[in-house]
């Protein structure tokens, strides 16, 4: 990137190359003349080569609205890095559109993409001897993948979210992609005609940005602030407003501050950081995927975190934001009130957040809150944002259920009645497609417990999200009287009594793989129970007769990750030994 004008901070790092900047491996000394020649071929000059080399990891793609605008976001970050005295180098990585792959075999690629993103960013930054990173993210798995890469490399890094889509408008109400998925269920039941479904399809997604409710992308963006890997206030600005590009430019500037002060993810992340992230996730009704990804991030960071911690923190943290899918509001509604920092401030004042946890700015969360121009808390009026004293629900939205069906735990996000108790007959399906056909045929009955198995990290492989079938259940009018459980995952847009991440998974002999049609299953939220009315003797007898399913794939990347994935209870990471280290 040729620089026509001297940069304001061009001498900021003069004489610093002899310090810990590893880019000197490829920019300094007579023996590196060939390396510099390669840089000069791309328009870099002497001023660039004397500056810290900052990688801008960009998963821009035309395959999802979440990422279609990320070239512009990355350009703003590049401008900020350049102006602050850095040498920005943009490089690409992959993305998978969860919404477009949803309900298809292609959804098996989604969780795998988290690993590929983390691996690819790690490899490029290692191979090219970068000094720092700005990690840009759009669609769901981009966010944890980018944060995992930053943690692994432990380079001075700033996480940068691309922002969420604005809501569409249909029939006088705000709508998102979730209403379209639920519309499919209503259409299958004859409760929506072709014309209305067509109009819903055409209006739900008006432009660029990640899905607008408190689904997985916005959950992980909110979590990035709570962890301290992104600046407070950076998550909520929509994708296509000027403020999003101001956030991006500031991220490019901030990474130079991190390099200058040698501020790394290992200086930021701690047990307290992860407790803060869980508190925010449960308070905002965030996606169940946040459990999976936070466990993976903690393993990368060497922080001791267990699935049980989510339930413990959720029990003491009230749910104070009621957004889609449980409520009606979207991320932009929260942004107009001050964004995620408003939630964090309320939790901090109630003693539910560790205010002394460090952030990427070099200030603690408590210190950083004081620098923000937030509205006075008493002046905030919104029907979806509650106080800690008078919350939407006394406990957080994330529940961890255990019992003889889930000895290692299962995950539920409460979007309705948190006193839900359900006992019903199991309806067994070996994959999502068969379960979807059952719902769409109208065979579903009140009281059913739909069991979808062999969709776990290894068995799927890839632990598919199942917004299609869960939305179809809701769209068919069974949000409150049918439960669904799976060793797979759910979208952040899923609502109703849907229990995922059941561990151990069926493919490795977990109890969910021993169920038979008609077995009586209990789902009890207050007691955190997920069980089947079978004796241990009967379960053991079935276990002796059980045979592992044949691998779904004999070769290629899906076979590779079927071998490599660990348990959902540990974050479905591909290097499970890391947690033990």
């Amino acid at each position: 990137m040729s620089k026509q004008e001297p940069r304001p901070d061009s001498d900021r790092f003069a004489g610093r190359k002899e310090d810990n900047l590893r880019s000197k491996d490829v920019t300094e000394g007579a023996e590196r003349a060939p390396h510099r020649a390669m840089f000069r071929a791309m328009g870099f000059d002497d001023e660039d080569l004397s500056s810290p080399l900052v990688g801008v990891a960009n998963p821009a793609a035309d395959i999802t609205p979440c990422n279609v605008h990320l070239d512009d976001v990355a350009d703003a970050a590049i401008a900020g890095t350049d102006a602050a005295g850095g040498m920005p180098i943009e490089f690409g990585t992959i993305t998978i559109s969860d919404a477009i792959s949803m309900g298809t075999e292609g959804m098996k690629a989604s969780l795998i993409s988290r690993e590929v993103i983390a691996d690819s960013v790690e490899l490029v930054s290692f191979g090219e001897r970068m000094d720092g990173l700005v990690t840009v993210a759009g669609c769901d798995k981009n966010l944890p993948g980018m944060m995992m890469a930053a943690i692994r490399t432990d380079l001075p890094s700033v996480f940068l979210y691309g922002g969420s889509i604005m809501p569409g408008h249909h029939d006088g109400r705000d709508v998102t992609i979730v209403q379209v998925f639920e519309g499919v269920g209503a259409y299958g039941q004859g409760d929506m005609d072709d014309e209305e479904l067509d109009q819903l399809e055409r209006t739900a997604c008006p432009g660029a940005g990640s899905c607008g409710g408190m689904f997985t992308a916005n959950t992980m963006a909110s979590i990035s602030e709570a962890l301290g890997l992104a600046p407070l206030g950076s998550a909520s600005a929509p994708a296509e407003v000027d403020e999003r590009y101001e956030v991006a430019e500031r991220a490019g500037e901030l990474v130079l501050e991190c390099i200058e002060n040698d501020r790394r993810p290992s200086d930021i992340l701690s047990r307290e950081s992860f407790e803060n992230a869980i508190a925010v996730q449960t308070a905002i009704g965030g996606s169940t995927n946040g459990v999976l990804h936070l466990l993976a991030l903690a393993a990368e960071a060497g922080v001791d975190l267990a699935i049980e911690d989510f339930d413990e923190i959720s029990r003491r943290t009230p749910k104070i934001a009621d957004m889609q899918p449980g409520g009606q509001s979207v991320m932009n509604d929260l942004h107009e009130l001050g964004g995620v920092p408003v939630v964090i401030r309320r939790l901090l004042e109630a003693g539910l957040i560790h205010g002394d946890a460090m952030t990427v700015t070099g200030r603690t969360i408590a210190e950083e809150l004081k620098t923000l121009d937030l509205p006075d808390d008493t002046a905030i009026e919104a029907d979806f944002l509650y106080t800690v004293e008078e919350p939407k629900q006394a406990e957080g939205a994330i529940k961890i259920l255990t019992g003889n069906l889930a000895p290692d735990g299962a995950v539920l996000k409460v979007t309705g009645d948190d006193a839900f108790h359900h006992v019903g007959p199991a309806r067994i399906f070996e994959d999502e497609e068969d379960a979807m056909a059952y719902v769409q045929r109208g065979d579903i009955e009140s009281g059913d417990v739909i069991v979808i198995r062999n969709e776990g990290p290894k068995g799927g492989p890839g632990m598919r999200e199942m917004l299609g079938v869960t939305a179809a259940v809701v769209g068919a009018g069974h949000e409150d009287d049918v439960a669904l459980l799976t060793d797979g995952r759910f979208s952040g847009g899923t609502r109703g009594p849907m229990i995922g991440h059941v561990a151990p998974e069926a493919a490795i002999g977990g109890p969910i793989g021993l169920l038979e049609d008609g077995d009586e299953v209990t789902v009890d939220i207050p007691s955190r129970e997920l069980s089947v009315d079978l004796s241990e003797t009967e379960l053991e007898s079935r276990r002796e007769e059980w045979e592992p399913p044949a691998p779904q794939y004999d070769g290629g990347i899906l076979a590779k990750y079927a071998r490599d994935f660990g348990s959902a209870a540990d974050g479905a990471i591909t290097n499970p030994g890391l947690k033990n280290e």
Side-chain angles (χ1 to χ4, degrees):
M1 178 177 300
S2 179
K3 312 298 188 299
Q4 303 300 321
E5 301 279 342
R7 291 169 290 175
D9 291 336
S10 59
D11 62 347
R12 181 176 181 182
F13 292 91
R16 293 287 301 280
K17 281 287 187 177
E18 70 273 20
D19 291 349
N20 294 326
L21 300 182
R22 64 179 182 177
S23 60
K24 67 181 182 180
D25 291 356
V26 294
T27 60
E28 285 197 350
E31 70 278 13
R32 300 308 182 210
H35 306 66
R36 292 192 295 273
M38 297 291 284
F39 282 120
R40 294 186 194 282
M42 296 180 284
F44 293 104
D45 58 22
D46 289 347
E47 189 178 1
D48 298 317
L49 293 168
S50 66
S51 305
L53 194 160
V54 175
V56 179
N58 179 13
D62 291 342
I63 59 175
T64 171
C66 309
N67 293 51
V68 72
H69 65 302
L70 291 187
D71 278 336
D72 294 334
V73 174
D75 283 347
I78 288 167
T81 299
D82 186 30
M87 176 181 169
I89 293 186
E90 182 179 11
F91 63 94
T93 188
I94 68 158
T95 189
I96 297 292
S97 172
D98 285 7
I100 293 176
S101 63
M102 193 76 68
T104 75
E105 186 181 19
M107 189 62 190
K108 296 173 185 284
S110 171
L111 187 60
I112 293 173
S113 76
R114 181 190 75 176
E115 306 301 301
V116 173
I117 290 166
D119 289 350
S120 64
V121 175
E122 177 190 9
L123 279 172
V124 174
S125 61
F126 175 80
E128 303 306 312
R129 316 312 292 155
M130 292 174 178
D131 299 314
L133 286 170
V134 176
T135 55
V136 186
C139 199
D140 294 2
K141 305 311 172 293
N142 296 181
L143 290 86
M146 290 294 183
M147 287 187 266
M148 288 166 69
I151 294 168
R152 281 186 201 170
T153 63
D154 203 29
L155 292 174
S157 302
V158 179
F159 176 79
L160 173 58
Y161 182 41
S164 61
I165 195 171
M166 295 294 285
H169 300 283
H170 173 73
D171 197 24
R173 62 189 175 116
D174 286 350
V175 292
T176 67
I177 192 67
V178 169
Q179 279 70 53
V180 187
F181 277 102
E182 292 179 0
V184 172
Y187 178 82
Q189 297 298 306
D191 295 330
M192 182 177 290
D193 60 23
D194 290 294
E195 182 179 356
E196 184 173 1
L197 184 59
D198 180 70
Q199 287 301 310
L200 189 56
E201 169 193 330
R202 294 175 186 276
T203 57
C205 300
S210 302
C211 297
M214 193 49 71
F215 312 146
T216 301
N218 281 325
T219 297
M220 294 308 298
S222 303
I223 281 173
S224 73
E225 291 190 27
L227 281 173
L229 294 176
L232 290 187
S234 64
S236 60
E240 296 186 291
V241 301
D242 290 344
E243 193 173 347
R244 172 51 53 197
Y245 298 94
E246 293 167 4
V247 167
E249 187 169 355
R250 172 58 182 148
E253 297 168 350
L254 181 57
V255 73
L256 270 298
E257 293 180 23
C258 293
I259 293 171
E260 186 174 28
N261 293 282
D262 198 28
R263 188 181 309 129
R264 301 168 182 266
S266 58
D267 299 315
I268 297 167
L269 296 175
S270 62
R271 167 75 185 197
E272 289 71 24
S273 303
F274 282 91
E275 290 185 357
N276 287 348
I278 296 170
V280 168
Q281 178 196 8
T282 60
I284 61 178
S287 168
T288 52
N289 283 306
V291 177
L292 199 73
H293 300 325
L294 279 170
L295 287 167
L297 292 170
E300 298 284 359
V303 171
D304 187 19
L305 193 70
I307 195 169
E308 295 83 5
D309 294 321
F310 289 81
D311 199 68
E312 179 184 341
I313 293 170
S314 187
R315 285 180 184 271
R316 67 176 186 243
T317 307
K319 181 182 177 182
I320 62 173
D322 189 29
M323 303 170 70
Q324 285 198 26
Q328 297 301 314
S329 298
V330 296
M331 191 63 152
N332 184 57
D333 296 318
L334 182 61
H335 179 67
E336 291 178 351
L337 301 180
V340 179
V342 170
V343 175
I344 291 176
R345 181 173 63 183
R346 290 186 177 183
L347 296 176
L348 177 64
E349 290 175 352
L352 299 170
I353 285 280
H354 299 284
D356 58 351
M358 187 55 63
T359 76
V360 68
T361 64
R363 294 181 288 269
T364 66
I365 279 188
E367 291 168 340
E368 190 68 11
L369 279 172
K370 293 178 182 178
T371 71
L372 302 180
D373 185 20
L374 297 177
D376 186 271
D377 201 55
T378 59
I380 296 175
E381 295 183 7
D383 60 3
F384 68 92
L385 190 62
Y386 297 75
T387 64
V388 171
E389 294 73 24
E390 297 183 46
K392 172 68 175 178
Q393 291 172 333
E395 294 184 353
I398 297 297
K399 316 291 184 183
I400 305 301
L401 310 185
T402 57
N404 65 355
L405 268 182
D408 293 343
V411 183
L412 166 71
K413 177 173 74 172
V414 173
T415 59
D417 182 8
D418 62 0
F420 182 82
H421 176 90
H422 182 93
V423 179
R427 307 299 182 199
I428 308 297
F429 302 95
E430 302 301 337
D431 56 42
E432 179 186 4
E433 286 81 0
D434 287 348
M436 185 66 168
Y438 176 80
V439 176
Q440 290 295 81
R441 285 196 308 266
D443 293 342
I444 190 170
E445 296 180 6
S446 178
D448 278 352
V449 178
I450 297 173
V451 178
I452 306 174
R453 64 192 183 192
N454 293 310
E455 291 283 7
K458 290 181 176 294
M463 206 179 178
R464 282 192 288 184
E465 285 184 355
M466 301 186 189
L467 178 58
V469 67
T470 61
V473 170
V474 172
H478 291 286
E479 179 180 353
D480 301 316
D481 63 356
V482 167
L484 187 152
L485 62 97
T486 180
D487 49 10
R489 297 183 296 124
F490 298 127
S491 162
T494 289
R495 60 189 174 106
M498 314 294 180
I499 301 97
H501 308 199
V502 175
E505 63 174 291
I508 62 170
I512 188 175
L514 308 179
L515 286 176
E516 297 177 358
D517 265 310
D519 286 342
E520 188 175 273
V521 172
T522 295
V523 177
D524 190 292
I525 294 178
S527 66
R528 305 297 200 270
E529 178 186 356
L530 179 62
S531 63
V532 59
D533 187 19
L534 295 173
S535 67
E536 187 55 40
T537 300
E538 175 61 22
L539 284 171
E540 188 57 37
S541 174
R542 293 186 186 183
R543 189 173 288 112
E544 290 175 359
E545 297 179 2
W546 176 84
E547 293 184 2
Q552 296 283 328
Y553 302 90
D554 295 327
I557 194 168
L558 293 171
K560 173 184 176 180
Y561 280 93
R563 294 191 301 268
D564 289 350
F565 270 128
S567 171
D570 294 324
I573 54 178
T574 53
N575 49 348
L578 182 63
K579 187 177 180 64
N580 296 328
E581 290 171 10

